[in-house]
Amino acid sequence: MTLTPSFRAHGLDRMFLGWEERDPGRSDVSGIAHFEGAPPRVEDLRAWLAGFVDVLPGLTCRLTGSSRRARWVHDPHFDLARHVVEVEVPRDTPLEAVAASVLDRPLERDRPDWDLSLIHGYEPGCYSLCYRVHHCCQDGGAASHTLRTVLTGATPTGTSRPEPLPGRAVRAAGLMGRLLGEIAGTSVAGATAATPLSGRRRLLYAHVDRARLRRVAQPLGGGPNEAHLAALTGMLHRWSAASGVRLHRPALFLAVDARRPDDPPSWGNRVLALRLPLLGASSSPRERLVDLIARGAAAQGHRAAARDLVRWLPGRLCGWLLGRQLHPRHVIGGSTTLLFTPGAGLDPKFVAFHPALPPGHLFVAALLVHGTSAQLCLVVDEALPLGERMADFYLQALAHLETPAPPVIPTQPPRAEPIHP
């Protein structure tokens, strides 16, 4: 992103800004990193971040105007002291409350919509850094890349080798037809007789070993992400049985980052969603895992096609498409998986990512993989019955996936072999 006096925002940015206009205070994404050691001085943290303004020029930009005519403008009065702040919380404050102490404060709209909070006091010899940004400025992938760049000083080092244009165009056209078909479909996803949603979020965490996820899915040809999605499916069915809320044609959205591996951290949104129908409660955990592994293999091609759609379609059409994809008529929640690789700078004890909760959704999950561990964050609507138990339901479902499948008992007795003299 180059700094110019003013230019119109992408259609995806304007769509997320529309969320804020309809439901103020719920449209930010954030990442929190926990460290061991004495907290730095906030002045030193500001000086450290000042060295990244040239690498991340969007830090000095903000959106002005309504969602229909929003424009990016450079803030001539940009001041890091308004963005990098210190927050002291009482001792023995739980992890969820540590994050909530920052996330419950609204972002100020008279300046670029982001902040970095230095949080300490909750435990001796520990501190946290929480990077928060409005979704109209960055999607989850861009926000996690920015947090990694700020903490480690590293920029993306991946490489991309795109396929020849004709094949990519065919795949993109096929995916566009599929997405339009799903939007126009008559099937309705939802939760029957659920308590009306409040729009207020509840943060829940669960720590998962990465090797554990791999062990669950690898024998069937899958990976950690398929095991995670199978656990999410089991979580939903366990919650439904415990709360008495019947799920009707449950489906989730999977966020797809449209950036290439070698793209630098950027401002703005470049994301689409893929709809993931889930098997019903009558299915076994193994059946759900097998189904998700098959769908995951098919989704790999869709991810590349989604990147091309975001690059080729007009921004206004992208915003309309994503808005329809996330409508609660089609999905009841979503999931995203992010990779946080360590660098030469600050090395956090662990990292968690908080996605935005779309209007009308029961929950949204983010699995952030950091080294050999994975940190799950569930953002659940506060009014959801038994919503505070969602993380427990997830861990129970994951443990059930690890249980060996019972032997198959034939429904008919085996045929006797003929006896030959």
Side-chain angles (χ1 to χ4, degrees):
M1 177 180 185
T2 56
L3 293 179
T4 58
S6 173
F7 61 94
R8 195 178 188 197
H10 192 276
L12 290 170
D13 305 336
R14 299 198 303 272
M15 189 216 77
F16 287 113
L17 184 60
W19 281 10
E20 178 71 20
E21 293 173 349
R22 294 190 296 272
D23 295 295
R26 62 177 296 161
S27 301
D28 57 311
V29 296
S30 59
I32 187 167
H34 297 264
F35 301 87
E36 293 180 337
R41 296 191 313 148
V42 69
E43 294 82 7
D44 295 337
L45 190 58
R46 289 169 184 157
W48 167 265
L49 193 63
F52 295 98
V53 172
D54 292 336
V55 180
L56 305 168
L59 294 176
T60 65
C61 294
R62 66 187 183 94
L63 273 180
T64 61
S66 67
S67 58
R68 290 180 176 271
R69 302 182 182 277
R71 300 185 67 83
W72 286 107
V73 297
H74 173 63
D75 184 6
H77 307 292
F78 176 74
D79 182 6
L80 273 176
R82 297 188 64 191
H83 295 269
V84 182
V85 297
E86 187 174 10
V87 179
E88 187 171 0
V89 296
R91 186 167 179 172
D92 297 327
T93 301
L95 178 60
E96 293 83 353
V98 169
S101 65
V102 172
L103 302 183
D104 288 345
R105 294 185 289 109
L107 286 165
E108 299 178 25
R109 297 303 313 280
D110 64 338
R111 58 179 175 82
D113 293 329
W114 67 272
D115 57 30
L116 181 68
S117 299
L118 170 62
I119 313 170
H120 60 87
Y122 57 91
E123 184 179 344
C126 292
Y127 67 97
S128 300
L129 295 177
C130 182
Y131 172 70
R132 181 175 59 145
V133 63
H134 197 287
H135 212 320
C136 68
C137 301
Q138 282 186 318
D139 53 53
S144 66
H145 290 165
T146 298
L147 177 64
R148 177 177 179 270
T149 299
V150 169
L151 295 182
T152 66
T155 56
T157 57
T159 59
S160 59
R161 299 176 61 183
E163 297 180 26
L165 186 60
R168 293 166 58 195
V170 170
R171 288 192 180 91
L175 178 61
M176 186 66 179
R178 171 183 168 172
L179 297 180
L180 292 175
E182 291 177 350
I183 292 172
T186 56
S187 62
V188 179
T192 305
T195 302
L197 302 180
S198 66
R200 298 185 301 273
R201 59 192 168 190
R202 183 197 306 270
L203 299 180
L204 304 171
Y205 296 101
H207 182 77
V208 184
D209 186 70
R210 187 180 184 182
R212 183 184 180 189
L213 293 172
R214 186 182 295 110
R215 285 195 304 269
V216 167
Q218 197 169 37
L220 299 175
N225 194 48
E226 286 80 15
H228 160 65
L229 293 174
L232 274 184
T233 307
M235 176 197 77
L236 271 175
H237 291 311
R238 288 171 181 269
W239 167 80
S240 175
S243 64
V245 178
R246 187 172 64 88
L247 296 176
H248 178 67
R249 300 180 184 272
L252 303 179
F253 75 84
L254 302 180
V256 179
D257 189 351
R259 295 171 179 84
R260 293 191 299 261
D262 55 346
D263 283 347
S266 61
W267 219 239
N269 289 268
R270 299 296 181 270
V271 64
L272 276 183
L274 297 177
R275 185 174 182 270
L276 180 68
L278 304 178
L279 293 182
S282 61
S283 60
S284 69
R286 183 183 178 87
E287 289 172 336
R288 297 168 196 160
L289 182 57
V290 170
D291 177 70
L292 289 167
I293 290 173
R295 293 182 183 276
Q300 291 302 318
H302 295 327
R303 292 179 185 275
R307 295 187 182 101
D308 286 330
L309 280 181
V310 173
R311 291 175 180 275
W312 296 339
L313 290 180
R316 185 173 182 179
L317 182 55
C318 284
W320 175 88
L321 183 62
L322 183 60
R324 295 301 182 273
Q325 287 181 297
L326 299 182
H327 195 282
R329 172 186 174 88
H330 304 293
V331 291
I332 60 174
S335 177
T336 183
T337 301
L338 303 166
L339 180 64
F340 189 94
T341 53
L346 298 172
D347 187 17
K349 182 180 178 182
F350 73 90
V351 189
F353 182 78
H354 315 116
L357 181 64
H361 286 212
L362 307 184
F363 78 97
V364 63
L367 185 72
L368 193 143
V369 178
H370 177 221
T372 60
S373 65
Q375 189 71 28
L376 173 72
C377 176
L378 289 166
V379 183
V380 181
D381 192 279
E382 200 174 66
L384 203 64
L386 300 182
E388 69 279 3
R389 295 181 57 190
M390 283 294 215
D392 294 333
F393 290 145
Y394 177 91
L395 293 176
Q396 292 170 13
L398 182 58
H400 200 180
L401 283 167
E402 293 177 303
T403 304
V408 178
I409 301 176
T411 57
Q412 296 180 351
R415 296 177 59 184
E417 293 293 332
I419 301 176
H420 299 281

